Amino acid sequence: MVTTFLNSVSLAAILGLVAIGLAVIFGVRGVINLAHGELFVLGAYSTVWFDGRGLSLWFGVVAAPFVVGAIGWALEVTVVRRLYTRPIDTLVATFGLSIIIREIIKLSFGKGSRNVPLPLSGQVDLLGTSYPQYRLFLTAASAVILGTVAWLAVRTDIGVKVRAVIQRRPMAEAMGIDGRRIDQGIFVMGAALAGLAGALMAPLITLNPEVGPTFLARSFLVVIIGGIGSVLPAIGSAIVIGLSEGLISSYIRPVYAQMLLFVVAIVVLCVRPTGLFRRGGEPS
Amino acid sequence: MTNISRRTFLAGGTVLTAGAALGGSALLTGCGNDDDTDKSAGTTGSGGPSGEPWKLGALIPITGIETQVGESMKISTQIAVDQINATGGILGRPIQLIIEDEASDPAVAVDKARKLIQQDEVTFMVGTLISAVRNAVLEVTAAAKVPLFNPTYYEGGLCQEYFASTGALPNQQIEPFIPWIYDNLGKSFYLIGSDYVWPRGSFAFVKSYVEQLGGKIVGEEYVPFGVTDFSASITRILDAKPDVLYPLVAGSDGITFWKQLAGFDFKGKRASHSVSEAIVAGLDAEVAKGIISAGPYFMVIDSPANRTFIEEYHSRLDDSAVVDTFGEGMYDAVHLLAEGAKRAGSLEIPALMKGIQGATFDAPQGRLVVDAATQHASLGFHIAEIKGNGWRDFEILESKEAIAPAADCGIAPAT
């Protein structure tokens, strides 16, 4: 019972961590970043790179957001920037970018699976059960990361400026906010978060150049259920999905658990078409 | 204002889900396969074979859930084709290899099989990996009367006119493995597999052998493809406290499973005939250590044929590259096809199948003989303990001489 609870909480934390990068970029700039999965994988491979040089996983975790953020910056400046007014085209462009990134990963790291050692391999005795240290660490790290993003969005000047740009761009720019810098900053931040998530998840997942779409799909589920607009719905939806998936899959067969999760998702979309955590009518 | 609607976002999701379902880059690979067509094959050296080449179609999971073995299957196939072409080809004509990515997706694989048969007009085919793909492709190849040579172990049951196999049947792999586990590791088993025909069919055999010995199955469950979190299943395994955990979680999902299991405090033994050099390469040495595997081929098998094969393989990639039972199976399948054609003196159907029946080849794993009745090869058998995550870290604990394929090709026992 306690283990089921811990499983569900860590699942929610992991889901939020994996999805937040996608939610940030979509929420602010309306770009559906189909390269999100590949940016996640790039973050995971940064731990492989450091591990291959005899350095600890933690170097990779620290470096991943910078490396992937820089790549995100390059993608924004060269491609995405030109397409903000053509949302459908960004779909095609980011899908193309995802393929390019995947092939570059294959060329640099090979096509096979790579391994990353588990940096914390023991268990912790917690609430009368022993639970993997790394999963607990991941849960805590994710809570801190999601909390920071939420704090930035809600409590800081940066958040206010970003929201101003989302709501009335021309007016915000007339007030002296540099909309261009906000766009760029948001894309870099979304990429950096994807990279950080990849680096943190690397010890727990298969790592090969093809795994990106799997994580993109899960992130989509989180963002769609939460409702589009900001990062808070995405965090709320990750919690709801993670907890329910954890509970469902511990009591019924995993195959049905997966199906039931999508049934729940469809019901939510029927009952609340704008998402679980979004007020108001159909967005424009 | 964001100038995008929820509808657009959902459209994006649909594109993505379709992409994911097709194994990621199947959308891409559908457009062309220049990279995967072997340009070297079919060219004639001095004294080499000449004339119109025989076309060999290879269906390989280059992308998707089995991507970690795609490269090994591809290179091994190319090595076999190059060797045959360097020694005169088949009946004086070279082989031209055409490789297609089946993406471990039955729908993609069927399209690719049709393309190979109708557009390229291949004479014969090798490949497929996961059983769902094999069964789907076989519908196409059997109807077109194109021989398909299968390189991998599977759940059995395919005694068919235009199907031949170098892969192990349950009686060549699971039947000798279970008594060893029962004697050396423990008597209660937990079975967890991906939810499709291979784990379900194979577990039917595992269960029947365990029960014959008087052992117990304390849990059996199946997980969907693409699971990224196994914590609920692992919790059930810990609660069931089996002596032996026997997973058949397919491909990269299997790697995720082993990695996540390692974080938990599982005290039992771990055994599975699906753990190969390519799987272990994706695991940390500490995680891989202690897993017991079994099958007809491991890279550490010490024989001249295997040393030559691995040397050639490494000369094309690098010295750490792994070729596992799937790659070796492709290599053997191509050579056995060529042997069959030489014996038959023809590539016509049904003469070619007659030639394959009884064909022999000195494979890296040992001497292979294709059984005339079942068109499955008799195979050796080894049990290996994994000591680390490199291909040299497999220690062979026990070996058996060639085991003949079951006369019925392994019809799953009723459960």
Side-chain angles (χ1 to χ4, degrees), chain B residues 325-368:
Chain B
T325 176
F326 304 130
E328 199 254 0
M330 289 295 268
Y331 177 81
D332 299 346
V334 174
H335 275 291
L336 284 168
L337 268 175
E339 281 306 308
K342 284 176 196 166
R343 282 162 48 93
S346 158
L347 276 81
E348 295 293 311
I349 292 292
L352 174 58
M353 297 315 295
K354 276 265 177 275
I356 289 170
Q357 296 163 9
T360 61
F361 174 57
D362 283 313
Q365 62 171 279
R367 188 168 178 76
L368 293 179

Side-chain angles (χ1 to χ4, degrees), chain A residues 107-250:
Chain A
L107 290 173
S108 344
F109 290 94
K111 295 175 184 172
S113 285
R114 302 299 296 261
N115 69 82
V116 178
L118 202 59
L120 303 166
S121 54
Q123 293 85 34
V124 181
D125 286 323
L126 192 74
L127 311 170
T129 180
S130 88
Y131 205 72
Q133 274 179 16
Y134 192 74
R135 281 187 90 93
L136 289 176
F137 165 77
L138 200 59
T139 308
S142 165
V144 170
I145 293 163
L146 297 178
T148 308
V149 173
W151 173 76
L152 278 174
V154 178
R155 293 269 171 210
T156 63
D157 281 358
I158 303 170
V160 172
K161 286 178 185 170
V162 169
R163 271 177 291 150
V165 171
I166 296 176
Q167 282 171 1
R168 285 283 183 277
R169 190 182 182 93
M171 186 55 81
E173 287 181 339
M175 302 295 281
I177 297 173
D178 186 346
R180 181 69 205 102
R181 269 190 65 194
I182 299 271
D183 294 343
Q184 216 169 61
I186 284 299
F187 199 88
V188 169
M189 185 177 165
L193 285 167
L196 179 58
L200 284 168
M201 284 297 287
L204 290 184
I205 55 165
T206 302
L207 190 52
N208 66 49
E210 299 282 329
V211 299
T214 312
F215 290 91
L216 178 60
R218 297 191 61 77
S219 307
F220 257 99
L221 187 67
V222 170
V223 174
I224 290 172
I225 298 278
I228 298 142
S230 173
V231 294
L232 293 181
I235 294 172
S237 131
I239 293 170
V240 170
I241 296 175
L243 291 180
S244 45
E245 187 178 348
L247 289 172
I248 295 171
S249 58
S250 66

Side-chain angles (χ1 to χ4, degrees), chain B residues 29-46:
Chain B
T29 51
C31 309
N33 64 318
D34 304 11
D35 176 42
D36 296 331
T37 306
D38 192 346
K39 294 182 187 72
S40 67
T43 53
T44 52
S46 55

Side-chain angles (χ1 to χ4, degrees), chain A residues 7 11 26 88 99 102 111 115 123 132 135 166 202 204-206 210 216 220 224 249-250 255 269 273 284, chain B residues 1 6 8-9 16 25 28 63 71 195 221 228-229 231 235-236 252 255-256 259-260 263 281-283 389:
Chain A
N7 284 345
L11 201 54
F26 184 76
I88 294 293
I99 293 168
R102 194 182 310 144
K111 295 175 184 172
N115 69 82
Q123 293 85 34
R135 281 187 90 93
I166 296 176
L204 290 184
I205 55 165
T206 302
E210 299 282 329
L216 178 60
F220 257 99
I224 290 172
S249 58
S250 66
V255 178
L269 289 180
S284 60
Chain B
M1 282 294 278
R6 165 171 212 87
T8 321
F9 193 81
L16 147 83
S25 60
L28 164 70
T63 59
E71 178 91 337
D195 191 30
E221 68 174 84
T228 53
D229 192 286
S231 56
T235 304
R236 276 190 290 272
S252 24
I255 297 177
T256 302
K259 284 175 111 169
Q260 295 189 2
L283 301 176
N389 63 358

Side-chain angles (χ1 to χ4, degrees), chain B residues 223-246:
Chain B
V223 293
F225 280 115
V227 173
T228 53
D229 192 286
F230 285 94
S231 56
S233 298
I234 293 169
T235 304
R236 276 190 290 272
I237 293 166
L238 295 180
D239 289 344
K241 294 193 176 59
D243 296 336
V244 182
L245 173 63
Y246 201 106

Side-chain angles (χ1 to χ4, degrees), chain B residues 286-350:
Chain B
E286 286 301 311
V287 176
K289 205 182 280 177
I291 300 175
I292 310 282
S293 184
Y297 178 74
F298 291 103
M299 284 178 82
V300 291
I301 290 173
D302 192 25
S303 72
N306 192 33
R307 278 194 294 273
T308 317
F309 172 59
I310 291 176
E311 215 165 275
E312 176 62 31
Y313 186 80
H314 282 166
S315 78
R316 296 188 183 210
L317 294 166
D318 64 71
D319 282 355
S320 65
V322 291
V323 52
D324 66 359
T325 176
F326 304 130
E328 199 254 0
M330 289 295 268
Y331 177 81
D332 299 346
V334 174
H335 275 291
L336 284 168
L337 268 175
E339 281 306 308
K342 284 176 196 166
R343 282 162 48 93
S346 158
L347 276 81
E348 295 293 311
I349 292 292

